[in-house]
Amino acid sequence: MTIGLSMLAAQYWGKKEIPAVERIFAYVLKITAAISLVFTLAALFCPALLMRIFTSDPTLIEKGAVYLRAVSVSYF
């Protein structure tokens, strides 16, 4: 998202269309905030399910779920 934003914003910045740059930043901020919120909630409320995507080891899932829940607020 940020790479695409940078490329698009640079084009409008070069044209001196500052309102367009502001609209682009606002749009990308809304999209990335929504995506971040989804990942935060998933990590907070079902961390074991997310851990199962990456491993089938029950001990690793258990310990990883505790860690994932603890750091989930940092994703937002």
Side-chain angles (χ1 to χ4, degrees):
M1 293 295 286
T2 56
I3 291 171
L5 163 71
S6 298
M7 291 172 56
L8 189 59
Q11 292 175 4
Y12 283 106
W13 187 266
K15 293 180 184 178
K16 307 285 191 235
E17 294 182 22
I18 307 305
V21 173
E22 292 172 349
R23 282 194 312 273
I24 293 166
F25 271 108
Y27 178 73
V28 171
L29 183 61
K30 289 175 189 175
I31 297 296
T32 54
I35 292 169
S36 297
L37 184 61
V38 168
F39 279 107
T40 298
L41 293 175
L44 186 61
F45 294 114
C46 54
L49 182 65
L50 292 177
M51 288 299 298
R52 284 190 188 98
I53 294 172
F54 300 104
T55 184
S56 59
D57 181 5
T59 305
L60 192 57
I61 291 171
E62 180 184 342
K63 303 249 188 232
V66 171
Y67 175 78
L68 191 55
R69 181 172 281 132
V71 298
S72 64
V73 293
S74 70
Y75 295 145
F76 189 68

